Amino acid sequence: MRRWLPRTRGGRVAAGVAAFLVALNVLALVVSYLRPQPGGTDGSAYATQPQGAAGYAELLRRAGHPVDFLREPLDAGRLDPATTIVVLDSPRLARAERAALARFVRAGGRLVAAGAEAGRGIVARPPRWVGAG
């Protein structure tokens, strides 16, 4: 019969530490599966953290509104003025993206924008951002 345990004390300690680390990783994987933590970028419709918009997107979907996600720059394609675009806490939009949103709004599209940069460079007089609730 072959013996699989290390023969030296140092080898047994190393094997014990390795087994402990493997067990710890398995436990962390089980915990993250059973109780996932919120995450994602602020304002993202994929983000489940408190500053994310996944809950808002799901609320709209459950209320019967079709929800699509733009995965390319706003100036990459035609924005349909029969729709509503929601831009929340976006990082600084490129000049071309702001111009595309301005054309979208002038053509009759509805824009819901929130955050420190909301509306800037898109409409003539955007609301002013006030950080206090």
Side-chain angles (χ1 to χ4, degrees):
M1 179 180 231
R2 224 171 156 168
R3 202 175 150 186
W4 292 99
L5 294 176
R7 295 176 191 254
T8 66
R9 183 174 178 351
R12 286 192 298 268
V13 169
V17 168
F20 173 75
L21 291 175
V22 168
L24 191 61
N25 281 319
V26 168
L27 179 64
L29 181 64
V30 168
V31 168
S32 69
Y33 177 76
L34 295 176
R35 295 195 36 100
Q37 295 296 312
T41 306
D42 288 1
S44 169
Y46 297 109
T48 56
Q49 49 106 339
Q51 286 75 32
Y56 179 56
E58 184 62 23
L59 180 70
L60 290 171
R61 189 178 293 111
R62 288 183 185 185
H65 300 284
V67 175
D68 292 320
F69 302 100
L70 294 176
R71 293 186 173 98
E72 66 262 351
L74 293 167
D75 60 327
R78 183 180 175 279
L79 301 176
D80 183 1
T83 62
T84 300
I85 293 180
V86 179
V87 179
L88 303 175
D89 290 325
S90 70
R92 205 167 206 26
L93 294 174
R95 179 174 287 168
E97 291 179 296
R98 290 185 184 284
L101 283 175
R103 286 190 302 275
F104 167 77
V105 170
R106 281 194 306 273
R110 293 170 305 279
L111 173 64
V112 176
E117 295 292 318
R120 192 168 297 166
I122 299 167
V123 294
R125 292 185 337 179
R128 280 187 345 135
W129 170 255
V130 178

